[in-house]
């Protein structure tokens, strides 16, 4: 019996210990469950997002607190330094494109809140207890995911520093188209470029911690590849090249003779395999010969025909104008092979026929109204109205063949004073400036609505960045701006499509005529979402205004 006493004592101690441990576990478990109940639908204490404490907050309250804190930090802007200059970029800034704005940095707050709320709420109960105690003891830091618009930031910094940055310039031989031609050497210039990647990498690190400090920018000097000494020898070669006999181009009884100044504008210098060559540039040759042929009447530009529509019926049409076109590629090939041994070259001239030339419009299948686009420009100033009227004139009568694409920019042509466009105010960056063709988005918008009404596929279309009263209802507008953005649609029907454009009082109306293949188009009412409030008023001081 004496021998059993130690065993009984051990068993008693072991059993008592297990009971006490079990009681402690039950007590701890009960406390944890009570703790969980206290923070039901709330974030446990000790959890932070970017050093912002979320103890006991609901997800909605936490989202509001974090959003307000981040907003208060980033609205101060982000500072970069370049030498002795400080450059501040706004978090949300207006681009130089009047129809675009950018957010430099975006935070995924919702995902971060979900992660914060999920701490201590997993499927593993033991892990949940551990996470709750860990958060209470040491705190759990959650970093919200951020997205940085690096490309835009790089462009914005380069734009601000454009006076400090210099593009590298190789030495060039300049041939001035004068009589006699003048030849000079444009000296080389070293370049200075911005090295922004290290600074943007640092910016991304600061964005993670929401602790923004000034970041230094660096630069790099780039040396030119070609120096003035390298091309001095070719200058004499150009002089000898220009002393060759001038070429003449003939077709029938017409002759195109070049002057020394015109020919000098076609001459260029190239560097091939380390050696300099004096050549006649094929692009300059083609453009120059085409211009001379038009001036002398050897070339005639063909024009598309036009249909007259009245009361939704085709009553007549004007045939296209026959044109003539010089084959400049063949002329250059002949010139390259035989000049200067030969100075007279015979031109190939082809006839071109405008659409509808001498044909019945019924053959093209233009029989019925496919759809109509309409927009209102009431309240527009005088120059805007005149630009709209001019745009309607340019679009009216255009015919889009089967499988062809219609381009509004191509149809309107060059937007300048020479082509009849007037200046009108447009918004560019921080200023309102007059530009030729202001108001042409009315034309793009009406064409977009007409194409949509006709069920035609849209190839390119960009909406305005903010709502404009001329283009209501929202979502049915199309902005155009030379040379981009353009508005384009494709004619995927089996017949040609005629656009009949007109102005009725203060409405622009585009009727799309063609041949229906049974398709129908419908549009739903616009739904407005993600409304953005205007930014705070910004006062800009300038000495440029009278």
């Amino acid at each position: 019996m004496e021998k059993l006493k130690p065993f009984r004592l051990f068993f008693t101690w072991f059993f008592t210990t297990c009971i006490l441990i079990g009681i402690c576990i039950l007590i701890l478990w009960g406390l944890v469950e009570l703790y969980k109940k206290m923070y039901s639908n709330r974030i446990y204490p000790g959890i932070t997002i970017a050093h912002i404490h979320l103890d006991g907050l609901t997800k909605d309250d936490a989202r509001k607190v974090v959003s307000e804190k981040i907003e208060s930090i980033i609205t101060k802007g982000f500072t970069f330094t370049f030498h002795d200059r400080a450059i501040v970029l706004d978090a949300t800034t207006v681009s130089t494109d009047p129809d675009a704005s950018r957010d430099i940095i975006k935070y995924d707050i919702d995902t971060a809140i979900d992660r914060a709320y999920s701490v201590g709420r997993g499927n593993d109960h033991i892990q949940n207890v551990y996470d709750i105690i860990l958060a209470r003891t040491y705190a759990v830091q959650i970093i919200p995911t951020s997205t940085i618009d690096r490309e835009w930031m790089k462009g914005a910094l380069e734009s601000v520093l454009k006076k400090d940055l210099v593009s590298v310039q190789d030495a060039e031989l300049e041939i001035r188209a004068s009589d006699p031609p003048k030849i000079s050497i444009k000296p080389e210039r070293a370049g200075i470029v911005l090295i922004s990647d290290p600074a943007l990498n640092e910016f991304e690190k600061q964005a993670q911690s929401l602790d923004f400090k000034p970041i230094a920018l660096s630069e790099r000097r780039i040396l030119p590849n070609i120096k003035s000494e390298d091309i001095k020898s070719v200058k004499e070669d150009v002089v000898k090249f220009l002393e060759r006999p001038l070429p003449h181009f003939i077709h029938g009884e017409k002759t195109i003779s070049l002057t020394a100044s015109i020919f000098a504008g076609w001459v260029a210098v190239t560097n091939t395999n380390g050696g300099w060559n004096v050549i006649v540039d094929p692009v300059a040759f083609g453009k120059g010969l085409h211009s001379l042929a038009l001036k002398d009447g050897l070339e005639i530009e063909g024009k598309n025909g036009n249909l007259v529509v009245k009361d939704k019926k085709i009553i007549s049409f004007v045939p296209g104008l026959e044109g003539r076109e010089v084959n400049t590629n063949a002329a250059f090939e002949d010139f390259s092979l035989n000049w200067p041994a030969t100075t007279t070259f015979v031109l190939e001239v082809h006839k071109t026929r405008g659409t509808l030339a001498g044909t019945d419009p019924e053959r093209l299948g233009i029989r019925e109204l496919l759809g109509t686009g309409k927009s209102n420009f009431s309240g527009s100033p005088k120059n805007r109205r005149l630009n709209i009227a001019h745009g309607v004139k340019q679009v009216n009568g255009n015919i889009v063949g089967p499988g062809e694409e219609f381009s509004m920019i191509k149809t309107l042509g060059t937007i300048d004073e020479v082509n009849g466009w007037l200046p009108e105010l447009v918004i560019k960056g921080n200023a309102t400036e007059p530009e030729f063709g202001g108001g042409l988005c009315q034309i793009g918008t009406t064409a977009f609505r007409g194409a949509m009404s006709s069920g035609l596929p849209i190839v390119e279309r960009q909406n305005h960045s903010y709502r404009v009263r001329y283009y209501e209802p929202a979502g049915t507008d199309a902005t155009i701006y030379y040379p981009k953005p353009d508005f384009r649609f494709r004619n995927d029907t089996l017949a040609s499509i005629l656009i009949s454009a007109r102005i009725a009082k203060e409405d622009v109306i585009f009727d799309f005529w063609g041949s229906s293949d049974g398709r129908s188009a419908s549009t739903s009412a616009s739904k407005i979402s993600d409304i953005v409030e205007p930014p705070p008023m910004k006062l800009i001081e300038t000495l440029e205004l009278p």
Side-chain angles (χ1 to χ4, degrees):
M1 294 297 290
E2 293 297 327
K3 294 181 179 180
L4 293 176
K5 280 186 177 181
F7 176 77
R8 289 176 178 174
L9 289 173
F10 172 77
F11 179 78
T12 302
W13 175 83
F14 177 78
F15 182 72
T16 304
T17 302
C18 290
I19 292 174
L20 291 175
I21 292 174
I23 293 172
C24 290
I25 291 174
L26 289 173
I27 293 173
L28 178 62
W29 191 267
L31 290 174
V32 170
E33 290 301 315
L34 179 63
Y35 192 81
K36 288 181 178 180
K37 188 174 292 186
M38 289 174 58
Y39 290 97
S40 176
N41 297 323
R42 296 177 182 275
I43 298 172
Y44 290 124
I47 301 172
T48 65
I49 294 180
H51 306 294
I52 303 169
H53 291 276
L54 308 177
D55 299 7
L57 296 180
T58 65
K59 293 173 71 173
D60 289 339
D61 290 339
R63 186 179 295 105
K64 181 179 179 182
V65 169
V66 173
S67 298
E68 290 177 351
K69 180 65 175 180
I70 291 178
E71 186 70 19
S72 67
I73 293 174
I74 66 176
T75 51
K76 299 175 183 177
F78 313 111
T79 302
F80 295 84
T81 60
F82 187 77
H83 298 313
D84 56 347
R85 292 183 57 186
I87 303 151
V88 179
L89 298 182
D90 292 336
T92 301
T93 183
V94 177
S95 170
T96 53
D97 180 349
D99 295 323
S101 63
R102 294 275 186 164
D103 288 328
I104 289 179
I105 181 171
K106 294 180 180 179
Y107 285 95
D108 187 355
I109 297 175
D110 289 339
T111 301
I113 296 296
D114 289 341
R115 288 173 56 198
Y117 182 79
S118 66
V119 174
R121 291 184 169 89
N123 296 324
D124 189 333
H125 297 297
I126 296 177
Q127 183 66 43
N128 289 341
V129 173
Y130 174 79
D131 290 342
I132 290 172
I133 295 173
L134 181 67
R136 191 78 187 195
T137 307
Y138 296 104
V140 175
Q141 169 74 357
I142 293 176
I143 300 175
T145 303
S146 60
T147 304
I148 310 298
D149 195 337
R150 291 178 66 106
E151 288 302 316
W152 191 92
M153 290 184 70
K154 181 178 179 181
L157 291 170
E158 290 176 348
S159 177
V160 174
L161 296 171
K162 60 184 178 182
K163 292 184 179 180
D164 300 270
L165 306 177
V166 181
S167 59
V168 64
Q169 177 69 56
D170 288 334
E172 295 179 356
L173 193 68
E174 292 185 328
I175 305 171
R176 299 182 184 178
S178 57
D179 196 4
K182 295 180 180 179
I183 305 168
S184 61
I185 296 176
K186 184 178 181 180
E188 70 278 8
R189 180 184 64 199
I192 299 176
V193 297
L194 180 68
I195 307 301
S196 57
D197 283 343
L200 295 180
N201 292 339
E202 175 61 25
F203 180 77
E204 288 184 334
K205 292 180 181 178
Q206 294 185 8
Q208 292 295 323
S209 62
L210 277 170
D211 184 16
F212 295 102
K213 298 176 180 178
I215 302 173
L217 297 167
S218 57
E219 64 182 45
R220 183 174 67 205
R221 185 179 177 86
I222 301 178
L223 298 177
N225 294 319
I226 302 173
K227 299 180 180 180
S228 300
E229 292 79 6
D230 301 332
I231 57 176
K232 282 183 178 179
S233 59
V234 77
K235 183 177 179 180
E236 296 180 2
D237 295 336
V238 173
V239 173
K240 293 178 181 179
F241 192 89
L242 292 175
E243 290 176 349
R244 295 179 180 182
L246 296 173
H248 304 274
F249 302 91
I250 62 173
H251 179 76
E253 297 180 354
K254 289 187 174 291
T255 300
I256 297 177
S257 299
L258 269 64
T259 63
S261 60
I262 292 176
F263 184 64
W266 298 5
V267 175
V269 175
T270 62
N271 189 314
T272 306
N273 298 325
W276 293 97
N277 297 299
V278 184
I279 64 166
V280 172
D281 180 61
V283 176
F285 178 95
K287 289 182 178 180
L289 185 57
H290 172 71
S291 178
L292 292 173
L294 281 174
K295 182 179 179 181
D296 291 352
L298 184 58
E299 273 198 4
I300 298 176
E301 188 173 356
K303 295 184 178 179
N304 289 336
N306 188 14
L307 295 176
V308 178
V309 180
K310 185 176 181 181
D311 297 330
K312 299 184 179 180
K313 293 182 180 179
I314 301 173
I315 59 174
S316 66
F317 76 97
V318 178
L321 177 65
E322 184 180 77
R324 293 196 300 268
E325 186 177 76
V326 172
N327 188 340
T328 55
N329 291 331
F332 182 76
E333 183 178 357
D334 187 17
F335 171 83
S336 300
L337 294 173
N338 299 294
W339 184 79
T342 300
T343 58
T344 302
F345 302 92
V346 179
L347 296 175
E348 293 181 16
V349 179
H350 304 291
K351 291 184 178 180
T352 61
R353 300 186 67 186
T355 305
L356 288 181
T359 62
D360 184 352
E362 287 293 321
R363 183 180 65 81
L364 300 175
I366 302 176
R367 301 184 183 91
E368 56 196 326
L369 185 64
L370 301 180
T372 297
K374 184 177 180 181
S375 67
N376 183 271
F377 58 89
S378 59
S380 295
K382 179 180 177 181
N383 279 10
R384 190 175 192 274
R385 291 173 177 269
L386 293 174
N387 283 334
I388 291 171
H390 190 47
V392 168
K393 183 179 179 182
Q394 296 293 101
V395 174
N396 182 47
N398 271 270
I399 295 175
V400 187
E404 293 181 352
E405 281 189 6
F406 172 87
S407 165
M408 184 59 73
I409 292 296
K410 184 177 180 181
T411 299
L412 295 176
T414 305
I415 311 299
D416 57 18
E417 185 178 15
V418 175
N419 288 284
W421 302 101
L422 298 174
E424 181 54 52
L425 293 178
V426 297
I427 300 172
K428 292 193 70 176
N430 291 326
T432 303
E433 303 173 355
E435 281 198 357
F436 291 109
L440 283 182
C441 290
Q442 196 88 42
I443 303 299
T445 294
T446 311
F448 171 55
R449 294 174 180 178
M452 290 289 287
S453 173
S454 306
L456 299 172
I458 308 302
V459 178
E460 180 179 355
R461 172 254 176 182
Q462 180 174 313
N463 63 294
H464 293 77
S465 295
Y466 54 85
R467 293 170 66 184
V468 182
R469 64 184 179 87
Y470 296 119
Y471 311 133
E472 291 293 309
T476 63
D477 60 308
T479 179
I480 58 174
Y481 188 84
Y482 184 84
K484 283 285 184 181
D486 194 1
F487 168 70
R488 297 184 293 142
F489 70 85
R490 185 173 71 255
N491 177 10
D492 64 341
T493 71
L494 299 178
S496 294
I497 289 177
L498 162 74
I499 304 177
S500 174
R502 66 187 191 276
I503 292 178
K505 294 184 179 179
E506 293 189 316
D507 290 328
V508 180
I509 302 172
F510 286 3
D511 290 326
F512 282 58
W513 290 81
S515 182
S516 175
D517 56 5
R519 74 181 66 182
S520 61
S522 62
T523 56
S524 59
S526 300
K527 295 181 179 180
I528 312 299
S529 62
D530 296 333
I531 297 177
V532 179
E533 295 294 329
M537 184 180 71
K538 186 179 294 185
L539 181 63
I540 302 174
E541 297 183 357
T542 179
L543 299 178
E544 297 178 357
L545 297 177

